[in-house]
């Protein structure tokens, strides 16, 4: 028999409920999975940001994290594996008034979609990219990905990973991101704040969230369950805002540097486009407006 | 609805097929293109990049064709009419996103200027060997429309038709040019904007509460929405129900996949676009498309001069295949002759539709140039023998 530890009033509402498609709950994620925690932070960030939710769109690729789009009560797109960023690019360019969030996994964004990530960052496309980095390809059963640290055991590295992993925050900075931060699912307050911050920041923004996949990653590597992972994150993470991203690489059980590393102003894609066209075409340039081909 | 005058370059021009196609996109109302350079298609986007800043819209050169073919679809859901352009290897890279467009019922246009393959093949030389790929290239069952222009004028006209059909049926439309048609320069007449019919996107009139993203109208096609209008809709490439939510059931799959094909059934008969001549007394009919139809025309004239009763049937909608038309013709003639710049692709469809009622003679060619009309003539002569 279960017993409630706190009295929840009958008319209580969950503050994040308006941001989720409650008719689609229960979700598919495992107990102890970190993805739900990040979604909770995202909902809180939306709440705090006071954005017009009709003008926020979310785009995901494929994977456990790729399912986030389907649970958000926004215009939402579950695209193909690796292609959330180019889809989001088209959405943003056709409808510049949208705030476009890309929410996807480490494999999706940095293996099959890695090329799109660096090019969108280079263009400073106005996208808010949120990566749930569970250090593995979870949806397909826990294979090695481009962010899997050395010595980790996965189904495709049964004797241990030996390929060097990407340092995602360093990659994002080098490619041109205007904003780069990393948190773990232990840092819910900071994460929600970062998410809220990027909603107000123009340009290509990147938040990496180190997140447990107890079912496939932690279990296989004898790192415990979801709760053990929280304790581990608490123990090994160090908040170092402004830390050089080159010093933020991850190892299997070493320090996790978290914080906001980059927050800079670069001209955005539209700014550069408009400036160049105005310079060369003058009055003949027609600034692209939000399309509406039903009544054009 | 008529064309937006801002995109229409009314007048008599001397253009190649690629440039005419670009003018077609602008006249059709396309205000977004995503591409990646590849011969012999690049001129389409080069011209678009040159024209669009003064029309009002966006061209973006993406990092590859995987990106281009999905960036286009993001733009469509953002409210734009959009297209992408490629050839051979690039078309191969786009396959996954043809399936995505089909299953999400995203109205959009893929321009493929066919070159010799396989692989890098013959970058600067013609072929028509992507015809089956256009139909079957993505995994699973779905439907698309494919149009085959045979002149720069048709590159203009059919591009507009393609955009209109994409909106009417909510499907990806393939414009299957070939290198010859893409690079040949001829007179192209661009009419006044009010002479150009445009199919606007059919946005739902329902409220967000009533609206279901994939609830079909009577014509089996659902209404559209776009991001930003408060519908909070969900689009997925997973098998989905009428709300757009993933549903992994046999029933949902059966209903969804069948509808994707059924909505295009009218093209097997009444809505098929084709050009036919001299069918009344024909003993042999030449079935061809694209550049090959122009070479076949020569062969047909030579055969007629020799007193052979030969007719022509030119496929303009190659997909869905105009089965009923071919079946009707086959019932009346001795043989069908099918020249094409591949080792036998559409000929199989002709054979299937003819169902044994007439002999079907393919005239294959590996590509790199067009047929010698004599070869087609020989096949016609053989057919009446
Ligand atoms: C083109 C393609 N290749 C492979 C897959 C199979 N696949 C689905 S999800 C996935 C990996 C996802 O990993 P990640 O992005 O890290 O997401 P996670 O499940 O870990 O959240 C793969 C390889 C696919 N759906 N499409
Ligand atoms: S497999 Fe891993 S990432 Fe996927 S839902 Fe389960 S715990 Fe989460
Ligand atoms: Mg992952």
């Amino acid at each position: 028999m279960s017993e409630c530890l706190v009295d929840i009033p009958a008319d209580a509402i969950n503050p994040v409920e308006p941001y989720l498609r409650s008719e689609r709950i229960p979700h598919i994620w495992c107990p102890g999975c970190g993805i739900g925690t990040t979604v909770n932070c995202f909902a809180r960030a939306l709440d705090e940001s006071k954005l017009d939710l009709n003008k926020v769109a979310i785009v995901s690729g494929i994977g456990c994290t790729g399912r986030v789009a389907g649970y958000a009560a926004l215009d939402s797109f579950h695209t193909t594996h690796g292609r959330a960023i180019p889809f989001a690019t088209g959405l943003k360019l056709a409808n510049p008034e949208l705030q476009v969030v890309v929410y996807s996994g480490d494999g999706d964004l940095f293996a099959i979609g890695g090329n799109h990530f660096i090019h969108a960052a280079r263009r400073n496309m106005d996208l808010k990219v949120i990566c749930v980095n569970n250090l593995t390809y979870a949806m397909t059963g826990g294979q090695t990905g481009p962010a899997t640290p050395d010595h980790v055991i996965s189904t495709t590295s049964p004797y241990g990973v030996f390929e060097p992993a990407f340092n995602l925050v360093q990659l994002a900075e080098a490619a041109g991101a205007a904003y780069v931060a990393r948190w773990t699912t232990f840092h819910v307050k900071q994460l929600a704040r970062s998410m809220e911050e990027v909603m107000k920041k123009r340009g290509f923004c990147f938040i990496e969230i180190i997140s447990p996949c107890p079912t496939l990653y932690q279990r296989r590597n004898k790192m415990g369950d979801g709760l053990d992972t929280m304790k581990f994150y608490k123990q090994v993470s160090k908040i170092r805002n402004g830390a050089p991203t080159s010093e933020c690489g991850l190892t299997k059980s070493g320090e996790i540097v978290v914080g906001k590393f980059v927050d800079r102003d670069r001209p955005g894609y539209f700014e550069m486009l408009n400036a160049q066209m105005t310079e060369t075409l003058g009055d003949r340039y027609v600034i692209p407006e939000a399309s509406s081909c039903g009544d054009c | 609805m008529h064309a937006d005058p801002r995109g229409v370059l009314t007048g008599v021009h001397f253009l190649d097929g690629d440039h005419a196609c670009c003018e077609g996109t602008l006249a059709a109302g396309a205000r977004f293109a995503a591409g990646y350079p590849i011969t012999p298609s690049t001129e389409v986007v080069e011209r678009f990049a040159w024209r669009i800043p003064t029309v009002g819209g966006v061209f973006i050169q993406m990092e590859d064709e995987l990106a281009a073919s999905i960036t286009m679809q993001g733009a469509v859901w953002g409210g734009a009419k959009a297209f992408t352009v490629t050839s051979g290897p690039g078309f191969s890279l786009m396959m996954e996103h043809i399936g995505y467009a089909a299953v999400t019922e995203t109205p959009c246009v893929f321009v493929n200027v066919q070159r010799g393959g396989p692989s890098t093949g013959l970058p600067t030389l013609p072929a028509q060997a992507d015809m089956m790929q256009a139909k079957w290239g993505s995994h699973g069952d779905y439907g698309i429309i494919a149009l085959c222009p045979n002149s720069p004028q048709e590159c203009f006209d059919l591009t507009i038709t393609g955009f209109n059909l994409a909106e009417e049926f909510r499907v990806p439309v393939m414009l299957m040019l070939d290198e010859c048609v893409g690079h040949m320069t001829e007179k192209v007449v661009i009419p006044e904007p009010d002479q150009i019919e445009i199919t606007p996107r059919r946005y739902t009139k329902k409220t967000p509460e009533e609206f279901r993203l994939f609830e079909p109208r009577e014509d089996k096609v659902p209404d559209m929405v776009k991001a930003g209008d408060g519908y909070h809709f969900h689009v997925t490439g997973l098998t989905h129900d009428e709300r757009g939510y993933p549903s992994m059931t046999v029933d949902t799959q059966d209903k969804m996949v069948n509808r994707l094909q059924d909505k295009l059934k009218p093209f097997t008969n009444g809505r098929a676009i084709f050009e036919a001549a001299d069918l009344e007394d024909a003993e042999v009919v030449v079935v061809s498309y694209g550049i090959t139809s122009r070479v076949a025309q020569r062969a047909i004239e030579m055969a007629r001069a020799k007193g052979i009763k030969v007719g022509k049937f030119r496929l303009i909608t190659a997909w869905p295949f105009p089965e009923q038309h071919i079946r009707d013709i086959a019932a009346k003639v001795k043989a069908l002759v099918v020249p094409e710049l591949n080792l036998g692709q559409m000929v199989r469809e002709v054979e299937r539709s003819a169902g044994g009622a007439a002999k079907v003679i393919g005239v294959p060619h590996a590509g790199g140039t067009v047929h010698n009309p004599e070869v087609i003539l020989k096949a016609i002569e053989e057919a009446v023998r």
Side-chain angles (χ1 to χ4, degrees), chain A residues 28-35 64-65 134 136 138-139 212-217:
Chain A
I28 64 156
W29 298 309
C30 309
C33 176
I35 299 171
C64 292
T65 314
N134 50 20
T136 189
M139 181 59 103
C213 170
T215 310
L216 298 165
Y217 182 89

Side-chain angles (χ1 to χ4, degrees), chain B residues 34-55:
Chain B
Y36 187 82
I38 186 163
T39 308
S41 71
T42 315
E43 292 89 335
V44 182
V45 287
E46 284 175 340
R47 190 177 178 100
F48 196 84
W50 171 61
R51 290 266 281 129
I52 197 65
T54 57
V55 172

